Amino acid sequence: MTVRGDRARPVVFVVMAAGGVVVNVVAAFLLASAVPYRDLVDVLAPSVVGAAYALAAGYVGLAAPARRQVGATMIVVAVTSPAAGLALGVSQLSGLWVALGAVSTLLVPAAAWLVLVTSRGGSAGRLGRAAVVASALLAGAVAGAVTLTYDPAAWGWCRCQPNPLALLDGEAAYVGLERWSPWLRASIGVLAISGALGELLRRPGRTRVAELALGVALVTVLVGHLVPQTLLLGAGLLLMLVLCVREIVRRLPSRAHVADLLLEAREHRDPARLEELVARAIGDPGARVWWWAPGPGAYRDSAGAQEADPTAGAPTSRVLRVDSEVEPIALVVAATRDLPADGSVLDAVAEALRLSTENRRLTDELRESIEQVRRSRARIVTATDEARKSLERDLHDGAQQLLISTGLKLNLAAAQTDAESRAELDATLAEASEDLGRALVELRRLASGITPTALVHGGLADAVQELAARCPAPVSVEVEGQGDPGPTRSMTAYFVVAECLTNVAKHAGAQSASVTMTLGEPLRLTVADDGVGGADPSRGSGLRGLIDRVEAHDGRATITSSDSGTVVTVSLPDVVLR
């Protein structure tokens, strides 16, 4: 019994669609006979549009029987489009022509409802549905009021059949209603279109071009209905029909949509976009995807909202559970129809969701690993700098002070000796004093290599000038900008220049070199020479260590070397190492 009923539904829609085509053909014929002086385009346009909607309703009934609401709404538009012309055509044949003409008031609410159910289906919000329903009720009330008060034959306004449904003999009630008619029609249109467009704009994963086109079509329908302008109204209705049929075709279950889903799942760009592609793949525009969140142990939608039981009230035939060997992954809950019977489509959807979740997990793990490496390198550099400063303090407060004290004592001993052994003692003490002096100089040189003295007692620019003065090759220094780079960036920049100028002296065979430094955010540094080139970080620890130090401070170092020289460019942002 169920199977016969399912097969009967498409047949019913085909019969209704055929009836809609017949109504539009008859309307065009009667209107052309009643008003032969009218332009042929104005006569045919409403019926052509209505017939197109009737044919589209038949296609929906055959291709997408689950979209019964869409097909039924198309038939309503197909009947209301030629209603005004049909009424004029039968005005001299039947008294029901007034009621037929009043039906055209429902055209705009029907068009808005078509857009609503096509784009949002069962997931349309209450506010949007309420606005369109309110506009339809208002349109029905206006149509009823016109039918019960309008009787132009009784008032001598036209040679037409009297309206048997008119309850009032006088024309005062209708004239009063007609005075408010433009405002009522405008209210009907604004209510209907605002409800439909509001739902369209909040659709997840939406395409802006399609939204804009549908919005233009709806506004065109409203303007053409209010003016009224037959061609404008027909153009808007036809554009809307094309876009709605395109949306229906796009949302039919197909392997092409599954392929789009698989391609998108590899990137996992946007959960809302994945949800829309899943809805296309299973042919249900209102389908929802709920993602499993291991932390709270609950499902979340594409916007991150948590739900204890997303399947509450949904039959099992509309729920697809996607699990891994360890834990749940996602739930797909259809809104307006059962899941496709084609198991290959459901398997592909489930695999796409698994792939998306796995890619997201791997991406998060990779990002966390990179962050851990960055923090580890930063801690190593910080610890190295602290150890260097500690060693400098030990040298300064320990060995250096001891050597100075020893030198003073030797000088005091030399002053206290007698004249007989003075010559020999003077020579020994002088030699010891010279050794102490050389040791002190060496200690100071080592200390300056650990923490540059120029940085301790001056600024980065002075320290770079001192390095340039020590280099055997002529070095020009140019410093631009102002500001204090801070101790961390200053020390890093100093050692970059020191390493580069050391390479110039030892390996480059350069005739000259230059150092250009720009103080600011970020700090930029360029060291160039005209040597033989050949600088390669992979073949030496100096340049490799230089790059590691710069990158540990979230900076960037670029080394370009050729037979015309070497250029090292460094950029150091202002970051805090943790």
Side-chain angles (χ1 to χ4, degrees):
M1 296 296 292
T2 304
V3 173
R4 285 199 295 271
D6 290 342
R7 289 178 178 174
R9 290 191 189 104
V11 175
V12 170
F13 270 97
V14 171
V15 172
M16 293 173 64
V21 173
V22 171
V23 168
N24 280 275
V25 172
V26 171
F29 176 77
L30 291 175
L31 182 60
S33 301
V35 285
Y37 52 85
R38 261 185 130 172
D39 187 45
L40 185 61
V41 175
D42 288 337
V43 172
L44 293 179
S47 295
V48 169
V49 171
Y53 271 86
L55 293 173
Y59 165 76
V60 172
L62 291 174
R67 310 299 296 275
R68 296 188 299 272
Q69 194 175 13
V70 175
T73 309
M74 285 182 172
I75 291 174
V76 173
V77 176
V79 173
T80 54
S81 176
L86 181 61
L88 186 58
V90 301
S91 60
Q92 297 183 4
L93 302 176
S94 171
L96 296 178
W97 69 276
V98 176
L100 288 175
V103 169
S104 63
T105 312
L106 297 170
L107 178 60
V108 175
W113 187 259
L114 177 61
V115 171
L116 193 70
V117 296
T118 300
S119 61
R120 294 288 290 165
S123 63
R126 293 181 180 177
L127 189 60
R129 286 176 174 269
V132 179
V133 169
S135 71
L137 292 175
L138 181 58
V142 171
V146 170
T147 301
L148 298 176
T149 60
Y150 187 48
D151 191 7
W155 308 331
W157 287 10
C158 69
R159 296 178 181 179
C160 52
Q161 292 295 320
N163 179 13
L165 301 177
L167 300 179
L168 303 176
D169 294 333
E171 58 189 72
Y174 175 75
V175 171
L177 177 64
E178 186 66 15
R179 187 179 301 114
W180 289 94
S181 178
W183 297 103
L184 290 172
R185 293 168 64 192
S187 300
I188 292 169
V190 170
L191 262 176
I193 292 180
S194 61
L197 289 184
E199 288 297 308
L200 188 67
L201 290 173
R202 78 174 187 86
R203 183 176 62 171
R206 54 190 182 271
T207 10
R208 299 289 182 184
V209 176
E211 287 174 10
L212 180 62
L214 264 177
V216 170
L218 275 174
V219 172
T220 304
V221 169
L222 176 60
V223 173
H225 185 69
L226 293 178
V227 172
Q229 173 54 251
T230 305
L231 290 180
L232 189 62
L233 177 62
L237 286 172
L238 285 178
L239 175 60
M240 193 180 71
L241 177 63
V242 170
L243 293 171
C244 288
V245 171
R246 171 183 174 274
E247 184 75 9
I248 292 170
V249 172
R250 198 166 61 92
R251 290 184 177 273
L252 289 175
S254 78
R255 288 180 173 81
H257 294 152
V258 171
D260 292 339
L261 174 61
L262 288 170
L263 290 174
E264 188 76 17
R266 293 194 309 174
E267 303 294 334
H268 192 83
R269 297 173 184 170
D270 181 11
R273 173 66 175 164
L274 288 175
E275 183 177 67
E276 183 185 23
L277 291 175
V278 168
R280 289 187 196 175
I282 66 175
D284 186 344
R288 301 288 303 277
V289 177
W290 298 85
W291 303 90
W292 177 254
Y299 286 97
R300 291 177 177 172
D301 63 9
S302 58
Q306 188 169 308
E307 182 70 28
D309 185 12
T311 63
T316 56
S317 58
R318 294 187 179 184
V319 178
L320 173 63
R321 295 183 180 273
V322 184
D323 300 325
S324 67
E325 297 179 357
V326 180
E327 62 182 2
I329 290 178
L331 284 176
V332 179
V333 182
T336 59
R337 56 170 295 175
D338 291 345
L339 296 172
D342 189 348
S344 62
V345 171
L346 296 182
D347 291 342
V349 169
E351 189 58 34
L353 296 179
R354 290 192 189 96
L355 176 63
S356 172
T357 301
E358 183 66 15
N359 285 346
R360 178 177 55 185
R361 183 184 64 80
L362 292 175
T363 300
D364 292 342
E365 289 181 357
L366 178 60
R367 186 180 293 111
E368 178 62 24
S369 297
I370 293 174
E371 182 62 20
Q372 288 179 359
V373 170
R374 192 195 72 82
R375 290 196 296 263
S376 175
R377 291 172 63 180
R379 287 193 298 269
I380 290 171
V381 170
T382 302
T384 302
D385 289 341
E386 291 297 327
R388 184 180 292 109
K389 292 177 181 178
S390 176
L391 181 57
E392 178 201 4
R393 287 192 297 268
D394 291 343
L395 287 173
H396 182 273
D397 299 337
Q400 181 174 313
Q401 294 298 327
L402 181 59
L403 288 174
I404 293 174
S405 175
T406 303
L408 292 174
K409 291 178 179 178
L410 288 174
N411 291 331
L412 181 60
Q416 293 176 347
T417 56
D418 53 19
E420 295 180 358
S421 57
R422 181 62 179 267
E424 182 178 352
L425 182 59
D426 282 348
T428 302
L429 291 176
E431 184 178 349
S433 181
E434 289 177 2
D435 290 342
L436 286 174
R438 284 194 296 272
L440 186 58
V441 169
E442 182 65 18
L443 283 175
R444 286 174 175 168
R445 186 186 68 79
L446 290 173
S448 67
I450 296 170
T451 299
T453 305
L455 283 181
V456 176
H457 301 292
L460 177 59
D462 295 334
V464 171
Q465 290 284 2
E466 184 178 316
L467 286 174
R470 290 190 214 157
C471 184
V475 180
S476 62
V477 178
E478 182 178 353
V479 179
E480 300 177 353
Q482 295 179 349
D484 181 13
T488 302
R489 286 199 294 175
S490 295
M491 189 172 296
T492 301
Y494 178 89
F495 281 114
V496 167
V497 176
E499 179 64 29
C500 292
L501 294 184
T502 299
N503 289 339
V504 168
K506 292 182 177 180
H507 311 295
Q511 299 299 315
S512 64
S514 64
V515 178
T516 304
M517 185 167 56
T518 303
L519 302 177
E521 180 52 41
L523 187 151
R524 301 184 184 277
L525 182 65
T526 301
V527 182
D529 65 65
D530 57 2
V532 297
D536 185 357
S538 64
R539 296 187 303 182
S541 60
L543 290 177
R544 182 67 261 172
L546 179 151
I547 294 174
D548 287 344
R549 172 179 278 274
V550 170
E551 291 181 349
H553 291 77
D554 281 356
R556 176 174 295 182
T558 303
I559 300 175
T560 305
S561 189
S562 64
D563 54 6
S564 60
T566 300
V567 179
V568 177
T569 304
V570 171
S571 175
L572 288 170
D574 186 10
V575 296
V576 179
L577 299 181
R578 294 177 177 84

